Amino acid sequence: MTETQPLVLVVDDAATVRMYHCTMLSEAGFRVREAANGLEAVEAALGAAFDLFVVDVNMPRMDGYTCVETLRSEVGTPAPVVMISTEERPGDADRAYAAGANLYLVKPVPPERLVRIARLFTAGRGVPA
Amino acid sequence: MNSLLAQFLAEAADLLALVDAGLLELERAPGDPDLVNEVFRAAHTLKGSSGLFDFPELTRLTHAVEDLLDAVRAGELPLDSGMTDDLLAAFDLIRGWLAYVTGNECLPATAGADAATLIGRLRAPIGGEPVPAETRLGSAWPDLAPSWLAVFDQEWLAETAAWLRTTSARMRFARYVPDSGCFFRAEDPLHLIRQVPALARLDVLEPARWPAAEDYDEYACLVSFVFAARAGAGEIGYLFRYVNDQIEVADLDGDTIQRFLTGPAETAVEISKPGPEMTGEARAVLAAALRGLSANPTGGPHLISVAGAITQAARALGDPVEIREPDVVTLTATVTRLLADAPPPAENPVAENPVAENPVAENPVEVGGRILKVDQAKVDHLMELAGELTVAKNGLAFLAEGADKEFGRRIKDQHAGLHRIAEDLQAAVMDIRMLPLSVAFARFPRLVRDLSRRLGKSVELVLTGEETMADKDVIEALADPLVHLVRNSLDHGVETVGERLASGKPGTARIALAAAADGDAVVVEISDDGRGVDPARVRRKAYEKGLISEAELETLSDADAVDLVFRPGFSTAEQISDLSGRGVGMDAVRAGVQKLGGAVTMCSQLGGGTTVRLRLPLSMAVTQVLVISVAGQRFGIPVDLVVETVRVPVAEMGRVLHQDVVVLRGEVVPVTDLARALDMPWQPDPAEDRAILIVTVAGQRMGLLVERFHREVDVLLKPMEGLLAYADEFAGTALLGDGLVLLVLNMEEVLGLAARVG
């Protein structure tokens, strides 16, 4: 993959879900890295400039909200963040948006939709349309 | 089993082991918050992953477990031994289900009933079934019934809706409209459809109007499919991931279908310019931005990210905005304006049947001149008749042998005349069937473009000699090997731009497909300027796989080492990727080409690139064979393998180790006893000279000890059928002029057999 293609960090503690999202995105031409929880995600974000974060909500060690908050406040990245939750409980979306997410989705997210959203957020950064 | 499901089962096994340990610990230390949390996490992850598949019972059961543990975790409920028992029972049930899934790829039929009892028990302490969220906020993915639902049998739809409502289950409905050029991208719609798990209903849609016979293009896919499946939307999406722009999936419950069946007819929706789905996403992103702004981010990365999201959404709507210094007030105003101007969210409109306006690719042969289009079967029949005539005229040669001298001579004259006419006729018919290789090459510009993009490589495809003609059967048979070889080049041969630049090559790689006629053969070369095959690596791998001995590891020349990739069993598992790992290995390419009477060779320069050369007969219709006999039985051997026939006095036959050899003009040629290779009882007459046929097989000169040589004949080779199709040592059968059936040997296999017999 060339360096011009957007780099996406997929954060989810479920290995199957991670594989699923990563497969979809990398087949659509994105460069993909993965992290199994919020802490790993923050560590990864300190080491590389990601163009998009796809973050699960409920994770061990550091959950999605804290992860996004940390990405914004500590890491200081303005890159778009899409949060994907397993289910929607009242107030979850507000929490996500307050933490700094740019889009909050509820699983299952159809693969073509995830790819479309990733393209929307990264259009103009060299990804195949 | 697909890799996603395999991944899920592996993950689930790990989680269950974790849960086991956790629950056992909990019995010793009841209520330990870390342990409760650990079991809760495992249940949560299992639930999340199971949602990708059609395991609704599993999802519901893990949900119940999760809710119970969540209550315990929050301190709302102490965990008692009864609950622990229920939790253990739940995980035992899940373990049993997963074992069943491993074998059957679906949950057992009893899953629903088994789950219901346990869910009831698990939910009792926390106040029964949860109230489902009334709306799915933030989701711009309405599971509206798509209009193409009307294509399904309405009675079946009504039944299904009723059944889904009683079980409060959902079903996935999909419409798959393969791109009309899909065959040129090596997509196989039928194969995909066949792989849909838990298929409940499939309908094939024909185009509204089939093109007239003379406009019909057999290389265009005109049909589309609708299907219903119990498989999860995730599974379907995964299966169709290469063609995700050609499929629509709707996850529907009984009520939605019922509303569709009884509700008012859908009104047509105007298609908006930026693509309706993208518009939907853009609206969702803008709505999200509004909510983000209402959380009042005070400057910094969060606000910049919201501004970025708005810019991107505006861009997707085709209404770009420029935001200089973002602040909450201006951003809110911008979003409000964009939302007001954006076209309203629309259901995915049903595209016009794309088939109608699809231009039918003009066949270059047919450009200009007066063209008569005929049914292909008629040409095939004519071809067969011409072939039969060629064979029948051979009968005259036999007749001449039995007749007296004068009459025999006259028959031979007649035979010569008939032979010429039959040959001309055959050539004329064959000419009708000739197509330019551009037909076989046509798919590659698109294939290379799509695949190189997917792989992130930059590749220029160069086609030459497309005007070279070959029989249509040859062209058709070339398709699979060519796709495989080009994919191989793209996947393994060509490096990424970075790697290429680092090694001093131009960033854009070059893959060339070149065709040329060479006498009775057509030669197709696939070459790339990629990294080439590393002979040392191939040697090592072949040795590790037991394909070559330790001695060969040392002595094998580089060229011979490269040739090892054609050995069966070489296919390098570590190289398997989604692209080239899917189909066949190089051994299958070689076998396929050899079946056509062709040959494949490969030469490669490490760091400089690889060239694979396919040599195929121009036509596969008539084969020239040399008839020989052994143990009184006649066999045919393709003439193009035969180098010469020699008779060697017994005294000149030699033996090196266990191998009979003959020395021909200073060259030692190994000799194989054909009778022994075919396991036929025959001993050569010790007094007679040995009849030895020298053949070249796989580039090696070999001698074949036979009983007698006969004449060369043209035959119409028919493949073996039925049980005999498994007899690989025969290339096929042919009817001789005297009515006898001739078995034509597949020398490669026969000599392999000889090597095994020893």
Side-chain angles (χ1 to χ4, degrees):
Chain A
M1 293 283 158
T2 54
E3 291 301 310
T4 55
Q5 278 154 323
L7 183 60
V8 183
L9 185 67
V10 172
V11 192
D12 202 311
D13 59 321
T16 311
V17 176
R18 224 160 49 226
M19 171 179 170
Y20 180 71
H21 288 160
C22 288
T23 311
M24 296 311 158
L25 289 169
S26 67
E27 276 168 7
F30 292 89
R31 289 182 297 143
V32 184
R33 300 232 197 118
E34 33 187 294
N37 57 58
L39 218 52
E40 278 186 22
V42 170
E43 276 165 23
L46 285 169
F50 289 93
D51 298 303
L52 175 67
F53 295 87
V54 176
V55 185
D56 181 30
V57 171
N58 211 323
M59 290 181 293
R61 296 185 66 197
M62 182 192 280
D63 69 15
Y65 305 120
T66 318
C67 172
V68 176
E69 253 165 40
T70 314
L71 285 176
R72 295 288 183 226
S73 59
E74 304 294 321
V75 183
T77 173
V81 172
V82 176
M83 290 192 82
I84 302 185
S85 167
T86 310
E87 68 266 293
E88 170 133 15
R89 294 171 211 237
D92 278 5
D94 289 331
R95 252 185 104 184
Y97 290 123
N102 298 105
L103 189 61
Y104 176 84
L105 302 172
V106 180
K107 284 180 201 172
V109 179
E112 63 275 17
R113 178 154 199 235
L114 179 63
V115 168
R116 215 158 45 224
I117 287 168
R119 282 187 177 143
L120 186 145
F121 274 120
T122 58
R125 285 167 217 238
V127 77
Chain B
M1 185 184 301
N2 75 49
S3 49
L4 194 67
L5 184 55
Q7 164 69 44
F8 170 67
L9 289 172
E11 184 185 26
D14 289 347
L15 291 171
L16 286 175
L18 212 71
V19 166
D20 267 355
L23 283 176
L24 288 178
E25 279 286 309
L26 264 181
E27 293 229 279
R28 252 173 275 143
D32 181 304
D34 286 347
L35 289 173
V36 173
N37 195 34
E38 197 175 301
V39 180
F40 165 81
R41 290 236 47 84
H44 175 78
T45 306
L46 205 54
K47 185 192 73 176
S49 294
S50 70
L52 291 173
F53 306 92
D54 181 48
F55 303 145
E57 294 86 357
L58 179 56
T59 311
R60 280 213 302 278
L61 181 57
T62 44
H63 197 166
V65 169
E66 189 193 6
D67 283 353
L68 175 60
L69 286 166
D70 199 23
V72 173
R73 199 168 66 140
E76 295 164 11
L77 206 66
L79 187 69
D80 64 29
S81 63
M83 288 181 209
T84 312
D85 286 347
D86 290 340
L87 287 171
L88 282 169
F91 284 109
D92 281 344
L93 184 60
I94 292 170
R95 204 187 316 279
W97 285 351
L98 293 177
Y100 188 87
V101 169
T102 308
N104 302 280
E105 303 197 13
C106 64
L107 289 180
T110 55
D114 292 346
T117 333
L118 257 178
I119 290 173
R121 291 220 302 271
L122 289 165
R123 288 219 178 273
I126 47 174
E129 282 284 329
V131 185
E134 66 271 51
T135 45
R136 292 165 77 186
L137 299 166
S139 164
W141 194 251
D143 281 324
L144 286 176
S147 54
W148 42 261
L149 216 53
V151 175
F152 287 97
D153 181 62
Q154 299 299 291
E155 205 170 304
W156 173 82
L157 213 50
E159 267 172 37
T160 306
W163 168 73
L164 287 176
R165 283 162 86 182
T166 49
T167 54
S168 47
R170 303 170 78 86
M171 194 178 256
R172 265 58 56 194
F173 291 80
R175 183 171 72 143
Y176 172 32
V177 184
D179 190 88
S180 66
C182 62
F183 301 136
F184 293 104
R185 270 171 286 144
E187 292 162 12
D188 187 345
L190 197 58
H191 180 69
L192 274 176
I193 286 286
R194 282 192 172 147
Q195 284 189 310
V196 173
L199 190 69
R201 174 112 193 160
L202 171 67
D203 282 305
V204 180
L205 304 185
E206 297 185 23
R209 192 176 56 84
W210 283 97
E214 61 268 24
D215 295 330
Y216 185 71
D217 177 6
E218 62 195 276
Y219 295 106
C221 179
L222 304 186
V223 296
S224 50
F225 306 88
V226 287
F227 63 85
R230 301 250 303 142
E235 271 184 294
I236 295 173
Y238 191 79
L239 181 64
F240 286 87
R241 62 193 185 279
Y242 290 109
V243 293
N244 58 28
D245 51 336
Q246 298 166 28
I247 187 159
E248 289 168 51
V249 183
D251 185 5
L252 304 178
D253 59 15
D255 288 337
T256 313
I257 302 171
Q258 195 55 48
R259 271 201 304 279
F260 173 82
L261 286 170
T262 53
E266 307 269 321
T267 45
V269 188
E270 202 180 326
I271 306 170
S272 55
K273 274 193 198 118
E277 290 104 344
M278 222 17 147
T279 310
E281 304 306 357
R283 289 186 66 93
V285 170
L286 289 175
L290 217 47
R291 297 182 71 173
L293 289 168
S294 70
N296 205 16
T298 48
H302 187 183
L303 192 62
I304 298 172
S305 81
V306 174
I310 295 169
T311 317
Q312 293 295 92
R315 189 189 165 115
L317 285 169
D319 185 4
V321 294
E322 201 179 332
I323 298 164
R324 290 251 167 75
E325 276 176 37
D327 65 82
V328 175
V329 180
T330 39
L331 286 180
T332 310
T334 311
V335 175
T336 318
R337 180 190 67 77
L338 282 169
L339 277 173
D341 290 353
E347 190 206 333
N348 299 348
V350 181
E352 284 292 303
N353 195 329
V355 167
E357 68 266 39
N358 180 51
V360 177
E362 272 298 321
N363 191 333
V365 193
E366 295 166 358
V367 176
R370 291 175 59 187
I371 310 292
L372 177 68
K373 293 208 182 190
V374 285
D375 185 352
Q376 180 171 330
K378 290 182 185 168
V379 179
D380 286 348
H381 185 56
L382 196 57
M383 185 79 205
E384 226 166 86
L385 287 177
E388 301 277 0
L389 181 63
T390 306
V391 173
K393 67 131 212 293
N394 289 344
L396 285 178
F398 286 95
L399 211 58
E401 274 169 23
D404 67 58
K405 210 172 173 191
E406 170 58 19
F407 197 48
R409 192 187 57 74
R410 279 162 61 191
I411 294 175
K412 273 186 184 156
D413 284 350
Q414 278 295 316
H415 175 247
L418 201 54
H419 177 75
R420 193 175 44 75
I421 297 169
E423 263 189 355
D424 286 354
L425 176 62
Q426 182 124 43
V429 180
M430 232 133 76
D431 196 42
I432 299 177
R433 293 166 42 107
M434 291 297 227
L435 290 176
L437 269 139
S438 53
V439 174
F441 287 178
R443 67 164 69 171
F444 288 104
R446 182 69 189 271
L447 184 89
V448 168
R449 179 183 150 274
D450 288 1
L451 292 191
S452 57
R453 271 185 165 204
R454 197 179 297 158
L455 290 165
K457 295 177 178 175
S458 170
V459 179
E460 180 199 8
L461 178 71
V462 183
L463 304 176
T464 47
E466 298 155 277
E467 68 288 344
T468 312
M469 306 283 270
D471 187 87
K472 79 168 187 37
D473 284 352
V474 173
I475 297 220
E476 275 166 17
L478 259 175
D480 283 349
L482 279 185
V483 169
H484 184 77
L485 292 169
V486 170
R487 282 184 161 187
N488 249 352
S489 273
L490 274 169
D491 211 11
H492 308 314
V494 169
E495 314 93 326
T496 60
V497 176
E499 283 174 277
R500 290 182 65 86
L501 292 175
S503 55
K505 293 180 182 181
T508 298
R510 196 184 135 100
I511 292 182
L513 275 175
D518 178 17
D520 273 351
V522 53
V523 175
V524 181
E525 276 187 359
I526 301 95
S527 51
D528 64 63
D529 62 351
R531 55 172 72 92
V533 177
D534 182 354
R537 219 173 125 233
V538 171
R539 234 183 252 126
R540 205 169 54 240
K541 189 154 285 167
Y543 173 65
E544 280 161 13
K545 302 208 169 211
L547 297 173
I548 57 170
S549 66
E550 205 162 341
E552 282 174 296
L553 187 64
E554 304 292 332
T555 58
L556 216 54
S557 74
D558 282 358
D560 287 343
V562 168
D563 203 57
L564 286 171
V565 302
F566 290 110
R567 294 269 187 102
F570 182 82
S571 176
T572 47
E574 71 181 61
Q575 294 182 348
I576 282 182
S577 76
D578 255 333
L579 294 183
S580 53
R582 260 192 304 185
V584 287
M586 289 299 280
D587 60 321
V589 169
R590 173 167 277 184
V593 170
Q594 276 173 353
K595 211 162 202 160
L596 305 174
V600 192
T601 48
M602 180 171 186
C603 60
S604 184
Q605 195 194 344
L606 186 55
T610 306
T611 299
V612 179
R613 169 184 271 250
L614 308 179
R615 194 186 165 85
L616 289 158
L618 274 182
S619 142
M620 304 195 299
V622 173
T623 317
Q624 263 200 323
V625 298
L626 176 71
V627 181
I628 52 99
S629 60
V630 63
Q633 164 98 47
R634 280 190 283 181
F635 294 101
I637 290 171
V639 164
D640 45 352
L641 298 180
V642 176
V643 180
E644 60 181 322
T645 59
V646 290
R647 288 183 187 277
V648 183
V650 181
E652 285 179 26
M653 295 290 296
R655 212 171 159 78
V656 173
L657 295 175
H658 296 289
Q659 177 71 55
D660 287 322
V661 296
V662 60
V663 180
L664 278 180
R665 294 181 287 275
E667 192 192 345
V668 179
V669 179
V671 174
T672 302
D673 183 345
L674 187 58
R676 238 178 108 190
L678 294 173
D679 200 16
M680 297 177 74
W682 177 71
Q683 285 296 323
D685 184 339
E688 239 179 52
D689 288 352
R690 296 285 187 266
I692 293 173
L693 182 71
I694 309 295
V695 292
T696 311
V697 174
Q700 263 207 308
R701 199 162 272 225
M702 308 270 290
L704 272 184
L705 177 62
V706 302
E707 192 175 350
R708 270 192 68 191
F709 304 122
H710 302 273
R711 76 190 73 230
E712 275 181 34
V713 288
D714 290 339
V715 295
L716 210 57
L717 200 58
K718 300 240 162 96
M720 305 286 260
E721 282 170 3
L723 270 183
L724 287 176
Y726 296 100
D728 288 333
E729 55 269 44
F730 300 111
T733 60
L735 199 62
L736 287 181
D738 57 1
L740 279 178
V741 172
L742 182 74
L743 285 167
V744 176
L745 297 175
N746 173 355
M747 289 317 297
E748 182 104 336
E749 196 57 36
V750 168
L751 291 174
L753 218 60
R756 285 198 291 276
V757 173

